[in-house]
Amino acid sequence: MDVSDILASQASKNKSILVVEKDIPPDVDAGFLTVTDLNVIDKESYDHERETYLQSTARDSVQLLLSSLFSLPTLSSPEGPFAQLPTPTTQLPRAKPLPKPKPLTKWERFARAKGIHSQKRDKKVWDEERQAWVPRWGWKGKNKEEEAQWLHEVPANADADYDPAKDARVARKARAKQNERQHLQNLARGARHQLTATANYVVGTGVGAGMQTERKKEIDRTLATTRVSTASMGKFNRALEGEKKLRGVKRKFDPIERSVETEKSASLALIKKLGNDVRGSSKFKKDGDGDGKVLNVRKAVRFASGGRGAVSLALKTTTATQYGSDGKGKRKMQGKGNGRLRWLPTELYTH
Amino acid sequence: MRPLTEDESKVAFEKLANYIGKNLVHLVDRQDEPHCFRLHKGRVYYVSEASMRLGISVARPNLVSLGTCLGKFNKSGKFKLHITSLDYLAPYAKYKVWIKPNGEMPFLYGNHVLKAHLGRITEDTPEHQGVVIYNMSDVPLGFGVTARSTVDTRKLDPTSIIVFHQADVGEYLRDEDTLF
């Protein structure tokens, strides 16, 4: 039986499936397992049968990716063959911003201004005696040569206890210390410069003002944080004298459509609290109302006048002097003191 | 229109309490019909619940007024009572001042109350106390703050001020444009 025809037809069928033909060949990046198809979308078929169209384009791309994977070199392993992915060719954008240029040191700025191009010094220097490259500084460094030498030259006018090795060592330590100091100064200068640069950009003022506003903002921020860093998130803090309201805190209002009953109870509670405050606060304290003194004048007057008030006491004395000691009968207008309001003789007020 | 916050209520209640004291409870806890306080465009309105519920459906820019305006908050958060609140202050006032007929017109033109115009005064009125001012036939005319306590007024001469003017019913005509 001749099956070659069947095989040929099957092979051609398979080939039509395996080979993808596009106007622009899609870009296959096996390293990222990515296929980018830049062909123009066929609008007609996209509009009519969107799902099938998308599926067919996706199938073609996946087919391309798989065939590229099968053409890669493989490694055999107990789990089966593994394709070795090549390095990706697609350029991905940088995740982090570019590093900012380091601030120049004092020397670098000076050198740039003067146009000095100094070569970078090697860490190692050639030692003629030892015939080897030795480190410039550090362990067995070249800078310790002077203090380590076996014979020292001593100036003629040197003191009796002059130790040239010790002197050289002290000088070297001093140089290292000075360098460290200059390094720190450079760091500080760089930090300050960057800070003022940003501050000036924002505020557009001089160097000092920029620093100051920045520091002030920092303090305000810290203060705001501390104000809400209590157990009640700052709700029950005692308000300090001259303290400003926190900025950026949204006001929250009760809903309009709350039942009036709950509102009433809240108001009554507030009034009750207010009433308690009234007793303590000087604003609501009446004069003589037991303000820390032993004698509560108000109470004493009430007691002495039999609840009639201070004016009735004053009246009593005047009437007593005017009309004799009995003090009766001339006070009809005053009534008997259960109410607060009473007619007062007008001559008292109008002369 | 919205309910008052706790701080706002405190300020408003303190001001009202200066005139009516503990009687403020009767304004909040009404027997006849539940009333509430509402803030709208910086003014505090004393509204019955029914009209408040009707007012909810009106958009803020369209709502001119509702209930009775008690006063307004100024920009620094202080509360100022309007003459419209007199209807609620007068029945509950703790301290009252009556002025003579010859003092009525000067007071209604916005002047302070002089001693010469003083008819009578509630006994024991302390200094700087909110008082409601009546004419001699017990018609409330306005309210103010006492300059001196009752006892101290006796020594004063007739031209000295007894009550500082705060609001009077003459404002209904004088401040007609801005009052409501």
Side-chain angles (χ1 to χ4, degrees), chain B residues 30 46 49 54 79 89 91 98 110 132 135 139-140 143 154 175:
Chain B
R30 291 258 299 223
Y46 183 59
E49 189 188 1
L54 288 174
F79 184 64
L89 294 186
W98 286 263
V132 174
N135 67 5
V139 176
F143 46 87
R154 287 191 296 132
D175 298 338

Side-chain angles (χ1 to χ4, degrees), chain A residues 251-261 263-265 267-268 270-271 273-275 277 279 283-284 286-287 298 301 307-312 314 318 334 340-344 346 348-351, chain B residues 1-6 9-10 13-14 17-18 24-25 28-29 34-38 49 52-53 56 94-95 98 100 115 118-124 126-127 129 136 149-151 153-154 156 158:
Chain A
R251 298 180 301 170
K252 276 209 182 110
F253 300 125
D254 295 327
I256 306 178
E257 241 183 320
R258 206 168 50 156
S259 88
V260 170
E261 274 307 309
E263 211 174 303
K264 193 172 85 182
S265 57
S267 296
L268 286 175
L270 186 69
I271 291 171
K273 213 165 73 179
L274 213 104
D277 280 353
R279 208 158 285 254
K283 196 177 172 189
F284 283 86
K286 318 243 164 64
D287 349 321
R298 214 174 133 76
V301 166
R308 287 173 192 172
V311 178
S312 72
T318 51
Q334 276 184 275
R340 306 194 77 148
L341 313 174
R342 241 155 288 143
W343 286 91
L344 296 179
T346 43
L348 258 179
Y349 287 95
T350 52
H351 299 276
Chain B
M1 183 178 60
R2 63 169 173 83
L4 276 71
T5 63
E6 198 177 326
S9 325
K10 201 174 161 198
F13 287 166
E14 267 178 2
N18 195 22
L24 182 56
V25 175
V28 175
D29 188 12
H35 275 62
C36 58
F37 296 90
R38 283 289 180 274
E49 189 188 1
M52 182 269 285
R53 292 208 179 279
I56 287 172
K94 268 180 92 178
Y95 296 95
W98 286 263
K100 290 178 185 166
K115 193 186 159 188
L118 189 73
R120 56 181 168 147
I121 185 169
T122 309
E123 245 182 77
D124 290 354
E127 210 174 356
Q129 168 68 45
M136 293 312 273
S149 64
T150 312
V151 183
T153 54
R154 287 191 296 132
L156 298 172

Side-chain angles (χ1 to χ4, degrees), chain A residues 210-222:
Chain A
M211 281 283 284
Q212 217 166 18
T213 47
E214 186 69 19
R215 204 177 309 132
K216 206 171 167 192
K217 251 193 268 173
E218 181 77 16
I219 291 170
D220 282 348
R221 220 173 296 138
T222 316

Side-chain angles (χ1 to χ4, degrees), chain A residues 187-251:
Chain A
L187 283 184
R189 196 180 298 117
R192 205 157 58 221
H193 188 72
Q194 261 182 346
L195 209 116
T196 50
T198 52
N200 287 346
Y201 178 72
V202 174
V203 183
T205 52
V207 175
M211 281 283 284
Q212 217 166 18
T213 47
E214 186 69 19
R215 204 177 309 132
K216 206 171 167 192
K217 251 193 268 173
E218 181 77 16
I219 291 170
D220 282 348
R221 220 173 296 138
T222 316
L223 195 64
T225 316
T226 49
R227 274 173 70 177
V228 294
S229 304
T230 57
S232 65
M233 311 281 271
K235 196 181 175 192
F236 296 114
N237 287 6
R238 181 174 293 165
L240 298 174
E241 190 79 24
E243 197 174 44
K244 278 180 188 159
K245 236 168 78 176
L246 267 183
R247 301 199 64 180
V249 178
K250 284 230 169 187
R251 298 180 301 170

Side-chain angles (χ1 to χ4, degrees), chain A residues 29-307:
Chain A
D29 186 356
F32 281 145
L33 299 178
T34 312
V35 180
T36 315
D37 190 354
L38 294 175
N39 286 295
V40 181
I41 289 169
D42 182 14
K43 189 168 187 303
E44 202 173 309
S45 49
Y46 180 77
D47 283 345
H48 279 110
E49 306 158 321
R50 185 178 295 176
E51 273 307 309
T52 47
Y53 177 73
L54 288 178
Q55 266 177 7
S56 76
T57 46
R59 195 215 71 83
D60 288 351
S61 300
V62 172
Q63 179 62 59
L64 273 174
L65 181 64
L66 287 178
S67 44
S68 75
L69 284 182
F70 277 103
S71 66
L72 289 173
T74 54
L75 273 178
S76 60
S77 74
E79 284 97 35
F82 276 109
Q84 282 179 304
L85 295 183
T87 49
T89 53
T90 313
Q91 292 280 330
L92 288 181
R94 196 186 159 89
K96 296 254 162 68
L98 280 174
K100 292 199 176 65
K102 273 186 181 172
L104 295 178
T105 64
K106 197 173 181 181
W107 159 249
E108 279 168 343
R109 243 186 305 152
F110 177 75
R112 186 172 282 187
K114 294 282 179 187
I116 302 167
H117 293 283
S118 58
Q119 266 129 17
K120 201 162 174 155
R121 292 207 296 184
D122 280 333
K123 271 188 179 176
K124 296 214 166 178
V125 281
W126 180 252
D127 192 335
E128 203 62 50
E129 281 178 31
R130 277 184 270 177
Q131 288 295 310
W133 289 95
V134 294
R136 197 182 284 279
W137 38 264
W139 189 60
K140 287 187 175 172
K142 180 89 167 156
N143 62 344
K144 285 178 210 66
E145 197 181 49
E146 198 186 339
E147 63 206 62
Q149 63 193 342
W150 64 274
L151 185 66
H152 289 276
E153 198 177 325
V154 178
N157 58 353
D159 292 339
D161 58 346
Y162 176 66
D163 184 355
K166 193 184 166 193
D167 215 35
R169 188 184 141 81
V170 166
R172 178 173 61 81
K173 289 282 178 193
R175 276 200 304 279
K177 208 165 184 179
Q178 188 198 12
N179 187 34
E180 178 64 25
R181 200 171 61 239
Q182 282 174 341
H183 169 62
L184 288 176
Q185 278 173 352
N186 276 327
L187 283 184
R189 196 180 298 117
R192 205 157 58 221
H193 188 72
Q194 261 182 346
L195 209 116
T196 50
T198 52
N200 287 346
Y201 178 72
V202 174
V203 183
T205 52
V207 175
M211 281 283 284
Q212 217 166 18
T213 47
E214 186 69 19
R215 204 177 309 132
K216 206 171 167 192
K217 251 193 268 173
E218 181 77 16
I219 291 170
D220 282 348
R221 220 173 296 138
T222 316
L223 195 64
T225 316
T226 49
R227 274 173 70 177
V228 294
S229 304
T230 57
S232 65
M233 311 281 271
K235 196 181 175 192
F236 296 114
N237 287 6
R238 181 174 293 165
L240 298 174
E241 190 79 24
E243 197 174 44
K244 278 180 188 159
K245 236 168 78 176
L246 267 183
R247 301 199 64 180
V249 178
K250 284 230 169 187
R251 298 180 301 170
K252 276 209 182 110
F253 300 125
D254 295 327
I256 306 178
E257 241 183 320
R258 206 168 50 156
S259 88
V260 170
E261 274 307 309
T262 55
E263 211 174 303
K264 193 172 85 182
S265 57
S267 296
L268 286 175
L270 186 69
I271 291 171
K272 203 173 170 193
K273 213 165 73 179
L274 213 104
N276 291 341
D277 280 353
V278 165
R279 208 158 285 254
S281 76
S282 59
K283 196 177 172 189
F284 283 86
K285 200 177 273 180
K286 318 243 164 64
D287 349 321
D289 214 0
D291 33 33
K293 291 172 195 155
V294 177
L295 181 66
N296 186 338
V297 179
R298 214 174 133 76
K299 198 170 179 181
V301 166
R302 199 165 61 222
F303 184 76
S305 62

